[in-house]
Amino acid sequence: MEPKCKVELVNITKRFGKVVANDNINLTINGGEVLCLLGENGSGKTTLMNMLSGIYMPDNGHILKNGEEIRIHSPKDAFSHGIGMIHQHFKLVDVLTVAENIVLGLNERGRLDRTAICQRVSEICQKYGFDLDPNSKIYDLSVSQKQTVEIVKVLYRGAEILILDEPTAVLTPQETDRLFDVLRNMRADGKAIILITHKLHEVLAISDKVAVLRKGAYIGTVNTADATAQSLTDMMVGHSVSLNIDRPLPVDPMPRLKIEGLTCVDNLGIKRLDGVSFTAMGGEILGVAGIAGSGQRELLEAITGLYPVQSGSIRFTPKEGAESELVGKTPAQIRKAGVAMAFVPEDRLGMGLVGSMGMTGNMMLRSWKNGRGFLLHRKEPTALATKIMDELEVVTPGISTPVRRLSGGNVQKVLVGREIASSPSVLLTAYAVRGLDINTSYTIYNLLTEQKMQGVAVVYIGEDLDVLLELCDRILVLCGGKVSGIVDARKATKEEIGLLMTQVQGGEVNA
Protein backbone atom coordinates (compact mmCIF):
# COMPACT_ATOMS: atom_id res chain seq x y z
CA MET A 1 0.00 0.00 0.00
CA GLU A 2 1.36 3.43 -1.00
CA PRO A 3 2.06 5.62 2.07
CA LYS A 4 -0.16 8.70 2.40
CA CYS A 5 2.87 10.96 2.78
CA LYS A 6 6.17 10.41 1.03
CA VAL A 7 9.19 12.71 0.79
CA GLU A 8 12.11 12.18 -1.57
CA LEU A 9 15.44 13.97 -1.44
CA VAL A 10 16.99 13.85 -4.91
CA ASN A 11 20.68 14.65 -5.54
CA ILE A 12 20.82 17.04 -2.57
CA THR A 13 24.15 18.86 -2.24
CA LYS A 14 25.16 21.49 0.31
CA ARG A 15 28.51 23.27 0.56
CA PHE A 16 29.95 25.60 3.16
CA GLY A 17 32.88 27.23 1.37
CA LYS A 18 35.17 24.41 0.29
CA VAL A 19 33.55 21.91 2.68
CA VAL A 20 30.95 19.64 1.10
CA ALA A 21 28.51 18.85 3.93
CA ASN A 22 26.11 16.82 1.77
CA ASP A 23 27.22 15.30 -1.50
CA ASN A 24 24.55 14.28 -4.02
CA ILE A 25 22.31 12.54 -1.46
CA ASN A 26 19.22 10.56 -2.43
CA LEU A 27 16.87 9.51 0.37
CA THR A 28 13.24 8.42 0.58
CA ILE A 29 11.07 8.97 3.67
CA ASN A 30 7.73 7.14 3.86
CA GLY A 31 4.67 7.77 5.99
CA GLY A 32 3.94 5.09 8.54
CA GLU A 33 7.66 4.51 9.16
CA VAL A 34 10.29 5.46 11.70
CA LEU A 35 13.56 6.21 9.91
CA CYS A 36 16.75 6.64 11.95
CA LEU A 37 19.56 8.74 10.50
CA LEU A 38 23.00 7.56 11.56
CA GLY A 39 26.50 8.83 10.91
CA GLU A 40 29.71 10.00 12.54
CA ASN A 41 30.24 13.61 13.59
CA GLY A 42 30.45 15.79 10.51
CA SER A 43 28.73 13.22 8.30
CA GLY A 44 26.01 15.72 7.37
CA LYS A 45 22.96 14.37 9.23
CA THR A 46 21.84 17.63 10.83
CA THR A 47 22.67 19.66 7.73
CA LEU A 48 20.47 17.37 5.63
CA MET A 49 17.55 17.64 8.04
CA ASN A 50 18.03 21.41 8.35
CA MET A 51 17.42 21.64 4.60
CA LEU A 52 14.27 19.55 4.90
CA SER A 53 13.03 21.76 7.77
CA GLY A 54 13.82 25.06 6.03
CA ILE A 55 16.82 26.25 8.04
CA TYR A 56 19.21 25.81 5.08
CA MET A 57 18.61 25.71 1.35
CA PRO A 58 20.35 23.11 -0.85
CA ASP A 59 22.88 24.27 -3.45
CA ASN A 60 21.75 21.54 -5.81
CA GLY A 61 19.02 18.92 -5.93
CA HIS A 62 15.28 18.68 -5.41
CA ILE A 63 12.81 17.83 -2.65
CA LEU A 64 9.67 15.97 -3.71
CA LYS A 65 6.53 15.36 -1.70
CA ASN A 66 4.15 12.74 -3.04
CA GLY A 67 5.92 12.98 -6.39
CA GLU A 68 5.71 16.77 -6.77
CA GLU A 69 8.64 19.12 -6.29
CA ILE A 70 8.37 21.51 -3.35
CA ARG A 71 10.54 24.49 -2.45
CA ILE A 72 11.41 25.13 1.19
CA HIS A 73 12.98 28.50 1.95
CA SER A 74 12.12 28.76 5.65
CA PRO A 75 10.66 26.76 8.56
CA LYS A 76 7.32 28.42 7.74
CA ASP A 77 7.50 26.90 4.25
CA ALA A 78 8.35 23.54 5.79
CA PHE A 79 5.27 23.67 8.03
CA SER A 80 3.11 24.55 5.03
CA HIS A 81 4.25 21.26 3.49
CA GLY A 82 3.64 19.33 6.72
CA ILE A 83 7.27 19.12 7.85
CA GLY A 84 8.30 20.00 11.42
CA MET A 85 11.56 19.57 13.36
CA ILE A 86 11.90 19.11 17.13
CA HIS A 87 15.34 20.34 18.13
CA GLN A 88 17.38 19.00 21.03
CA HIS A 89 17.37 22.40 22.75
CA PHE A 90 13.80 23.45 23.46
CA LYS A 91 12.49 26.77 22.16
CA LEU A 92 9.84 27.58 24.77
CA VAL A 93 8.85 30.65 26.80
CA ASP A 94 8.86 29.59 30.46
CA VAL A 95 6.31 32.13 31.74
CA LEU A 96 3.66 31.18 29.16
CA THR A 97 1.29 28.22 29.35
CA VAL A 98 1.55 25.06 27.27
CA ALA A 99 -1.28 26.21 24.98
CA GLU A 100 0.21 29.69 24.55
CA ASN A 101 3.59 28.23 23.55
CA ILE A 102 1.96 25.90 21.07
CA VAL A 103 0.18 28.71 19.17
CA LEU A 104 3.00 31.23 19.57
CA GLY A 105 3.86 32.67 16.15
CA LEU A 106 0.72 31.46 14.41
CA ASN A 107 -1.36 34.01 12.53
CA GLU A 108 -4.62 33.38 14.36
CA ARG A 109 -7.43 35.55 13.01
CA GLY A 110 -9.52 37.60 15.41
CA ARG A 111 -9.40 37.27 19.17
CA LEU A 112 -7.43 34.36 20.56
CA ASP A 113 -9.87 31.63 21.60
CA ARG A 114 -8.01 30.00 24.49
CA THR A 115 -10.79 27.48 25.15
CA ALA A 116 -10.72 26.24 21.55
CA ILE A 117 -6.92 26.07 21.57
CA CYS A 118 -6.86 24.04 24.80
CA GLN A 119 -9.51 21.70 23.41
CA ARG A 120 -7.49 21.15 20.22
CA VAL A 121 -4.32 20.50 22.24
CA SER A 122 -6.18 18.02 24.45
CA GLU A 123 -7.50 16.21 21.37
CA ILE A 124 -3.96 15.80 20.00
CA CYS A 125 -2.71 14.56 23.37
CA GLN A 126 -5.55 12.05 23.67
CA LYS A 127 -5.07 10.79 20.12
CA TYR A 128 -1.37 9.99 20.48
CA GLY A 129 -1.08 9.28 24.20
CA PHE A 130 0.55 12.44 25.54
CA ASP A 131 0.12 13.39 29.20
CA LEU A 132 -0.08 17.18 29.15
CA ASP A 133 -2.21 19.92 30.74
CA PRO A 134 -2.66 22.80 28.23
CA ASN A 135 -3.01 25.32 31.09
CA SER A 136 0.26 24.42 32.85
CA LYS A 137 3.11 26.91 32.90
CA ILE A 138 6.27 25.77 31.12
CA TYR A 139 8.42 26.43 34.22
CA ASP A 140 6.37 23.85 36.14
CA LEU A 141 7.00 21.06 33.60
CA SER A 142 9.57 18.28 33.65
CA VAL A 143 12.09 17.90 30.83
CA SER A 144 10.05 15.14 29.17
CA GLN A 145 6.90 17.27 29.36
CA LYS A 146 8.70 20.19 27.72
CA GLN A 147 9.73 17.87 24.92
CA THR A 148 6.09 16.80 24.62
CA VAL A 149 5.11 20.47 24.16
CA GLU A 150 7.58 20.75 21.27
CA ILE A 151 6.13 17.66 19.60
CA VAL A 152 2.53 18.79 20.09
CA LYS A 153 3.53 22.21 18.71
CA VAL A 154 4.47 20.73 15.31
CA LEU A 155 1.45 18.41 15.31
CA TYR A 156 -0.82 21.40 15.99
CA ARG A 157 0.62 23.00 12.85
CA GLY A 158 -0.38 19.94 10.83
CA ALA A 159 2.99 18.19 10.51
CA GLU A 160 2.96 14.84 8.69
CA ILE A 161 6.76 14.47 8.73
CA LEU A 162 8.43 14.90 12.13
CA ILE A 163 12.19 15.21 12.59
CA LEU A 164 13.50 14.62 16.14
CA ASP A 165 17.11 15.52 16.97
CA GLU A 166 18.53 13.42 19.84
CA PRO A 167 15.08 13.15 21.49
CA THR A 168 16.15 10.89 24.39
CA ALA A 169 19.31 12.75 25.40
CA VAL A 170 17.84 14.03 28.68
CA LEU A 171 15.18 11.39 29.39
CA THR A 172 15.09 8.58 31.93
CA PRO A 173 14.57 5.01 30.64
CA GLN A 174 10.92 5.16 31.71
CA GLU A 175 10.40 8.49 29.89
CA THR A 176 12.12 7.09 26.82
CA ASP A 177 9.76 4.11 26.80
CA ARG A 178 6.76 6.45 27.00
CA LEU A 179 8.12 8.58 24.15
CA PHE A 180 8.60 5.49 21.99
CA ASP A 181 5.01 4.41 22.69
CA VAL A 182 3.85 7.81 21.42
CA LEU A 183 6.05 7.57 18.33
CA ARG A 184 4.57 4.16 17.56
CA ASN A 185 1.07 5.67 17.82
CA MET A 186 2.07 8.41 15.39
CA ARG A 187 3.57 5.84 13.04
CA ALA A 188 0.32 3.88 13.13
CA ASP A 189 -1.49 7.10 12.17
CA GLY A 190 0.63 7.35 9.02
CA LYS A 191 3.15 9.95 10.20
CA ALA A 192 6.70 9.84 8.84
CA ILE A 193 9.19 10.08 11.72
CA ILE A 194 12.91 10.75 11.36
CA LEU A 195 15.20 10.30 14.37
CA ILE A 196 18.75 11.64 14.60
CA THR A 197 20.47 9.69 17.37
CA HIS A 198 23.75 8.03 18.34
CA LYS A 199 22.15 5.43 20.66
CA LEU A 200 22.21 2.21 18.67
CA HIS A 201 20.10 0.21 21.12
CA GLU A 202 17.31 2.77 20.67
CA VAL A 203 17.71 2.67 16.90
CA LEU A 204 17.16 -1.07 16.97
CA ALA A 205 14.20 -0.73 19.35
CA ILE A 206 12.11 1.91 17.58
CA SER A 207 13.05 2.24 13.90
CA ASP A 208 11.79 0.45 10.79
CA LYS A 209 14.69 1.55 8.59
CA VAL A 210 18.15 3.06 9.13
CA ALA A 211 19.83 5.45 6.69
CA VAL A 212 23.59 5.90 7.06
CA LEU A 213 25.71 8.89 6.03
CA ARG A 214 29.50 8.96 5.97
CA LYS A 215 31.56 12.09 5.33
CA GLY A 216 28.65 13.81 3.65
CA ALA A 217 27.82 10.90 1.35
CA TYR A 218 24.81 8.60 1.45
CA ILE A 219 25.95 5.03 2.15
CA GLY A 220 22.60 3.27 2.08
CA THR A 221 19.37 2.37 3.87
CA VAL A 222 18.83 -0.96 5.61
CA ASN A 223 15.83 -2.60 7.25
CA THR A 224 16.27 -2.52 11.01
CA ALA A 225 15.15 -6.16 11.27
CA ASP A 226 18.24 -7.14 9.26
CA ALA A 227 20.70 -4.96 11.21
CA THR A 228 22.75 -5.24 14.40
CA ALA A 229 24.62 -2.65 16.46
CA GLN A 230 27.88 -4.01 15.03
CA SER A 231 26.74 -3.93 11.40
CA LEU A 232 25.44 -0.37 11.73
CA THR A 233 28.65 0.82 13.37
CA ASP A 234 30.79 -0.77 10.67
CA MET A 235 28.57 0.85 8.04
CA MET A 236 28.98 4.28 9.66
CA VAL A 237 32.74 4.09 10.11
CA GLY A 238 33.65 2.09 7.03
CA HIS A 239 35.57 -0.59 8.91
CA SER A 240 35.09 -2.95 11.83
CA VAL A 241 34.94 -1.27 15.25
CA SER A 242 34.95 -2.95 18.66
CA LEU A 243 31.87 -2.00 20.73
CA ASN A 244 33.19 -3.34 24.02
CA ILE A 245 34.06 -0.93 26.83
CA ASP A 246 36.98 -2.27 28.82
CA ARG A 247 36.25 -1.95 32.56
CA PRO A 248 39.09 -3.37 34.65
CA LEU A 249 38.61 -3.67 38.38
CA PRO A 250 39.95 -0.74 40.44
CA VAL A 251 43.45 -1.38 41.75
CA ASP A 252 44.10 -0.08 45.29
CA PRO A 253 41.46 2.69 45.16
CA MET A 254 42.28 5.58 47.47
CA PRO A 255 40.05 8.49 48.54
CA ARG A 256 40.77 11.62 46.50
CA LEU A 257 37.70 13.81 47.01
CA LYS A 258 35.50 13.64 50.07
CA ILE A 259 32.33 15.71 49.84
CA GLU A 260 30.21 16.10 52.98
CA GLY A 261 26.91 17.96 53.33
CA LEU A 262 27.49 20.07 50.22
CA THR A 263 24.71 22.65 49.83
CA CYS A 264 24.57 25.29 47.09
CA VAL A 265 21.96 28.01 46.56
CA ASP A 266 21.50 30.05 43.37
CA ASN A 267 20.81 33.78 43.05
CA LEU A 268 17.06 33.22 43.44
CA GLY A 269 17.49 31.39 46.73
CA ILE A 270 16.76 27.96 45.20
CA LYS A 271 18.78 25.03 46.52
CA ARG A 272 20.64 23.44 43.62
CA LEU A 273 22.49 20.98 45.87
CA ASP A 274 21.09 19.86 49.21
CA GLY A 275 23.37 18.01 51.64
CA VAL A 276 25.26 16.03 49.00
CA SER A 277 27.81 13.59 50.42
CA PHE A 278 30.04 11.04 48.66
CA THR A 279 33.67 10.05 48.14
CA ALA A 280 35.43 9.92 44.77
CA MET A 281 38.20 7.34 44.78
CA GLY A 282 41.42 7.49 42.86
CA GLY A 283 41.58 4.52 40.49
CA GLU A 284 37.84 4.36 39.79
CA ILE A 285 35.25 6.00 37.58
CA LEU A 286 32.33 7.41 39.54
CA GLY A 287 29.32 7.98 37.32
CA VAL A 288 26.70 10.64 38.06
CA ALA A 289 23.16 10.06 36.79
CA GLY A 290 20.08 12.25 37.00
CA ILE A 291 17.49 13.95 34.88
CA ALA A 292 18.43 17.40 33.55
CA GLY A 293 18.58 20.07 36.23
CA SER A 294 19.16 17.72 39.16
CA GLY A 295 22.36 19.52 40.22
CA GLN A 296 24.96 17.77 38.07
CA ARG A 297 26.45 20.98 36.66
CA GLU A 298 26.42 22.76 40.03
CA LEU A 299 28.16 19.79 41.65
CA LEU A 300 31.19 19.87 39.36
CA GLU A 301 31.38 23.68 39.37
CA ALA A 302 31.29 23.74 43.17
CA ILE A 303 34.17 21.25 43.33
CA THR A 304 36.26 23.36 40.93
CA GLY A 305 35.56 26.62 42.79
CA LEU A 306 33.27 28.06 40.10
CA TYR A 307 30.00 27.89 42.05
CA PRO A 308 29.48 29.35 45.56
CA VAL A 309 29.00 26.87 48.39
CA GLN A 310 26.59 27.74 51.19
CA SER A 311 27.68 24.94 53.53
CA GLY A 312 29.53 21.65 53.59
CA SER A 313 33.08 20.61 52.82
CA ILE A 314 35.12 19.41 49.84
CA ARG A 315 38.40 17.82 50.95
CA PHE A 316 41.13 16.72 48.56
CA THR A 317 43.60 14.02 49.64
CA PRO A 318 46.82 13.81 47.56
CA LYS A 319 48.84 10.64 47.11
CA GLU A 320 51.30 12.06 49.60
CA GLY A 321 50.84 14.80 52.17
CA ALA A 322 47.98 16.30 54.11
CA GLU A 323 44.46 16.80 52.79
CA SER A 324 43.23 20.28 51.94
CA GLU A 325 39.85 21.99 52.08
CA LEU A 326 38.68 23.38 48.71
CA VAL A 327 35.55 25.26 49.81
CA GLY A 328 36.18 29.00 49.65
CA LYS A 329 39.05 28.71 47.18
CA THR A 330 39.00 30.08 43.64
CA PRO A 331 40.15 27.87 40.73
CA ALA A 332 43.52 29.67 40.78
CA GLN A 333 43.91 29.08 44.54
CA ILE A 334 42.98 25.41 44.11
CA ARG A 335 45.68 25.05 41.45
CA LYS A 336 48.19 26.96 43.60
CA ALA A 337 47.46 24.56 46.47
CA GLY A 338 48.85 21.77 44.32
CA VAL A 339 45.53 20.16 43.37
CA ALA A 340 45.87 18.82 39.82
CA MET A 341 42.26 19.05 38.70
CA ALA A 342 40.91 18.86 35.15
CA PHE A 343 37.38 19.87 34.20
CA VAL A 344 35.38 19.20 31.03
CA PRO A 345 32.34 21.50 31.47
CA GLU A 346 28.92 21.07 29.93
CA ASP A 347 29.22 24.35 28.01
CA ARG A 348 31.99 23.66 25.49
CA LEU A 349 32.47 27.12 24.01
CA GLY A 350 30.96 29.25 26.75
CA MET A 351 33.16 27.86 29.54
CA GLY A 352 35.58 25.28 28.16
CA LEU A 353 37.15 26.90 25.10
CA VAL A 354 37.49 30.31 23.44
CA GLY A 355 35.69 30.00 20.13
CA SER A 356 37.67 32.73 18.34
CA MET A 357 41.00 31.03 19.11
CA GLY A 358 42.54 28.04 17.38
CA MET A 359 43.60 24.79 18.99
CA THR A 360 47.04 26.14 19.91
CA GLY A 361 45.57 29.18 21.65
CA ASN A 362 43.16 27.02 23.60
CA MET A 363 46.01 24.75 24.71
CA MET A 364 47.79 27.86 26.01
CA LEU A 365 44.90 28.67 28.33
CA ARG A 366 46.43 26.12 30.70
CA SER A 367 50.07 27.12 30.23
CA TRP A 368 50.19 30.87 29.57
CA LYS A 369 51.50 31.63 33.07
CA ASN A 370 54.63 29.65 32.26
CA GLY A 371 55.82 32.52 30.03
CA ARG A 372 57.78 35.52 31.18
CA GLY A 373 56.19 38.93 30.91
CA PHE A 374 54.57 39.38 27.52
CA LEU A 375 56.41 36.41 25.99
CA LEU A 376 54.38 33.23 25.81
CA HIS A 377 55.73 29.76 25.18
CA ARG A 378 54.01 28.44 22.04
CA LYS A 379 56.17 25.43 21.24
CA GLU A 380 54.65 23.00 23.73
CA PRO A 381 50.99 24.10 23.17
CA THR A 382 51.50 23.75 19.42
CA ALA A 383 52.91 20.26 19.85
CA LEU A 384 50.01 19.31 22.13
CA ALA A 385 47.44 20.69 19.67
CA THR A 386 49.00 18.66 16.86
CA LYS A 387 49.04 15.53 19.01
CA ILE A 388 45.37 15.88 19.96
CA MET A 389 44.40 16.57 16.34
CA ASP A 390 46.17 13.40 15.20
CA GLU A 391 45.22 11.03 18.02
CA LEU A 392 41.55 12.07 18.32
CA GLU A 393 41.19 12.67 14.57
CA VAL A 394 39.95 16.23 14.94
CA VAL A 395 38.57 17.39 11.60
CA THR A 396 39.91 20.92 11.12
CA PRO A 397 41.68 22.84 8.33
CA GLY A 398 44.52 23.50 10.79
CA ILE A 399 45.39 24.01 14.44
CA SER A 400 45.08 27.78 13.96
CA THR A 401 41.48 27.60 12.69
CA PRO A 402 39.05 29.12 15.26
CA VAL A 403 37.41 26.25 17.12
CA ARG A 404 33.97 27.83 16.73
CA ARG A 405 34.15 26.84 13.06
CA LEU A 406 34.43 23.15 13.97
CA SER A 407 31.50 20.79 14.42
CA GLY A 408 30.26 20.20 17.98
CA GLY A 409 31.88 16.78 18.11
CA ASN A 410 35.28 18.09 17.06
CA VAL A 411 35.06 20.93 19.58
CA GLN A 412 34.44 18.32 22.26
CA LYS A 413 37.49 16.33 21.15
CA VAL A 414 39.69 19.41 21.55
CA LEU A 415 38.34 20.11 25.04
CA VAL A 416 38.58 16.54 26.34
CA GLY A 417 42.04 16.06 24.84
CA ARG A 418 43.38 19.23 26.47
CA GLU A 419 42.06 18.36 29.93
CA ILE A 420 43.33 14.78 29.90
CA ALA A 421 46.75 15.99 28.69
CA SER A 422 47.14 18.06 31.89
CA SER A 423 47.93 14.88 33.92
CA PRO A 424 45.26 15.44 36.58
CA SER A 425 44.71 13.71 39.93
CA VAL A 426 40.99 14.41 39.61
CA LEU A 427 39.20 14.48 36.24
CA LEU A 428 35.67 15.91 36.23
CA THR A 429 33.68 15.44 33.02
CA ALA A 430 30.18 16.69 32.21
CA TYR A 431 28.69 14.92 29.17
CA ALA A 432 32.12 14.21 27.68
CA VAL A 433 30.68 12.34 24.68
CA ARG A 434 27.59 14.48 24.04
CA GLY A 435 27.25 14.91 20.30
CA LEU A 436 30.07 12.48 19.52
CA ASP A 437 29.65 9.58 17.11
CA ILE A 438 29.96 6.01 18.33
CA ASN A 439 33.56 5.57 17.17
CA THR A 440 34.88 8.71 18.87
CA SER A 441 32.79 8.02 21.97
CA TYR A 442 34.56 4.70 22.49
CA THR A 443 37.90 6.47 22.08
CA ILE A 444 36.91 8.83 24.93
CA TYR A 445 35.72 5.91 27.09
CA ASN A 446 39.10 4.23 26.65
CA LEU A 447 40.92 7.47 27.53
CA LEU A 448 38.90 7.77 30.75
CA THR A 449 39.67 4.15 31.63
CA GLU A 450 43.38 4.80 31.03
CA GLN A 451 43.17 7.73 33.47
CA LYS A 452 41.46 5.50 36.00
CA MET A 453 44.22 2.87 35.75
CA GLN A 454 46.79 5.62 36.39
CA GLY A 455 45.14 6.30 39.76
CA VAL A 456 43.09 9.32 38.69
CA ALA A 457 39.71 9.89 40.34
CA VAL A 458 37.35 10.21 37.36
CA VAL A 459 33.86 11.67 37.83
CA TYR A 460 31.73 11.08 34.73
CA ILE A 461 28.35 12.77 34.27
CA GLY A 462 26.50 11.02 31.45
CA GLU A 463 23.09 10.77 29.82
CA ASP A 464 23.25 7.22 28.48
CA LEU A 465 22.53 4.78 31.30
CA ASP A 466 23.80 1.83 29.25
CA VAL A 467 27.20 3.53 29.05
CA LEU A 468 27.18 4.46 32.74
CA LEU A 469 26.51 0.83 33.65
CA GLU A 470 29.23 -0.46 31.35
CA LEU A 471 31.94 2.16 31.96
CA CYS A 472 31.69 3.17 35.62
CA ASP A 473 32.55 1.37 38.86
CA ARG A 474 29.94 3.14 40.99
CA ILE A 475 27.05 5.43 40.07
CA LEU A 476 25.84 8.37 42.15
CA VAL A 477 22.20 9.25 41.40
CA LEU A 478 20.96 12.81 41.92
CA CYS A 479 17.33 13.86 42.12
CA GLY A 480 16.33 17.45 42.84
CA GLY A 481 19.81 18.30 44.14
CA LYS A 482 19.87 15.40 46.62
CA VAL A 483 21.63 12.04 46.53
CA SER A 484 18.93 9.40 46.04
CA GLY A 485 21.36 6.50 45.83
CA ILE A 486 24.90 5.26 45.20
CA VAL A 487 24.94 1.90 43.42
CA ASP A 488 27.47 -0.68 42.23
CA ALA A 489 27.50 -0.28 38.44
CA ARG A 490 28.36 -3.96 37.98
CA LYS A 491 25.18 -5.06 39.74
CA ALA A 492 22.64 -2.27 39.12
CA THR A 493 20.03 -2.17 36.34
CA LYS A 494 18.75 0.67 34.17
CA GLU A 495 15.33 0.35 35.76
CA GLU A 496 16.76 0.70 39.26
CA ILE A 497 18.70 3.83 38.32
CA GLY A 498 15.72 5.25 36.44
CA LEU A 499 13.58 4.90 39.55
CA LEU A 500 16.23 6.57 41.69
CA MET A 501 16.42 9.43 39.18
CA THR A 502 12.76 10.18 39.90
CA GLN A 503 12.90 9.14 43.59
CA VAL A 504 10.22 6.49 43.11
CA GLN A 505 12.19 4.35 45.52
CA GLY A 506 12.51 5.64 49.05
CA GLY A 507 15.81 5.62 50.85
CA GLU A 508 19.31 5.14 49.50
CA VAL A 509 21.02 2.15 47.96
CA ASN A 510 24.65 2.31 48.98
CA ALA A 511 27.46 0.40 47.33
Side-chain angles (χ1 to χ4, degrees), residues 448-466:
L448 296 181
T449 299
E450 288 176 10
Q451 293 296 300
K452 158 188 163 179
M453 297 312 293
Q454 293 173 17
V456 176
V458 180
V459 179
Y460 175 86
I461 294 178
E463 298 162 327
D464 192 330
L465 294 187
D466 290 286

Side-chain angles (χ1 to χ4, degrees), residues 92-101 104 114 135-140 146:
L92 302 171
V93 181
D94 281 353
V95 296
L96 298 182
T97 66
V98 168
E100 289 167 344
N101 270 274
L104 195 62
R114 297 176 185 271
N135 295 306
S136 295
K137 296 285 190 180
I138 296 298
Y139 57 68
D140 287 328
K146 290 178 182 178

Side-chain angles (χ1 to χ4, degrees), residues 2-75:
E2 187 72 14
K4 68 178 183 180
C5 68
K6 180 177 181 180
V7 173
E8 296 172 85
L9 307 179
V10 182
N11 300 327
I12 295 294
T13 298
K14 181 64 179 177
R15 300 179 183 88
F16 296 97
K18 295 181 180 180
V19 177
V20 181
N22 292 133
D23 187 7
N24 204 40
I25 290 180
N26 293 275
L27 183 65
T28 300
I29 304 156
N30 293 318
E33 285 184 351
V34 176
L35 173 72
C36 278
L37 199 57
L38 285 181
E40 293 187 276
N41 295 119
S43 62
K45 305 183 300 296
T46 302
T47 299
L48 186 64
M49 290 300 102
N50 280 342
M51 285 186 282
L52 187 57
S53 63
I55 297 175
Y56 295 151
M57 289 183 61
D59 297 324
N60 299 102
H62 310 281
I63 300 175
L64 308 179
K65 183 181 179 185
N66 297 330
E68 296 183 4
E69 184 173 357
I70 59 176
R71 296 189 179 277
I72 303 174
H73 300 97
S74 68

Side-chain angles (χ1 to χ4, degrees), residues 148-266:
T148 298
V149 176
E150 292 283 18
I151 297 174
V152 174
K153 188 194 298 184
V154 300
L155 292 173
Y156 190 95
R157 286 161 170 75
E160 298 173 332
I161 298 100
L162 288 85
I163 306 165
L164 291 87
D165 188 6
E166 300 285 353
T168 65
V170 292
L171 302 184
T172 67
Q174 290 83 355
E175 290 169 339
T176 297
D177 290 341
R178 287 196 292 272
L179 173 62
F180 284 178
D181 287 339
V182 169
L183 295 182
R184 292 185 182 101
N185 292 337
M186 290 194 289
R187 175 179 61 187
D189 191 45
K191 305 291 186 187
I193 301 167
I194 308 165
L195 296 183
I196 302 174
T197 181
H198 291 300
K199 299 180 181 180
L200 294 180
H201 62 281
E202 294 180 355
V203 172
L204 296 172
I206 187 62
S207 68
D208 299 292
K209 293 181 180 178
V210 183
V212 178
L213 302 183
R214 187 195 310 151
K215 296 180 179 179
Y218 171 69
I219 303 302
T221 300
V222 298
N223 293 322
T224 306
D226 302 325
T228 63
Q230 187 67 58
S231 69
L232 293 175
T233 302
D234 295 347
M235 196 173 175
M236 279 192 294
V237 179
H239 57 81
S240 182
V241 175
S242 173
L243 295 180
N244 294 319
I245 298 178
D246 184 26
R247 180 174 54 184
L249 290 168
V251 178
D252 298 326
M254 299 290 291
R256 282 289 172 267
L257 280 178
K258 190 170 184 180
I259 286 85
E260 292 184 344
L262 187 64
T263 298
C264 296
V265 179
D266 66 12

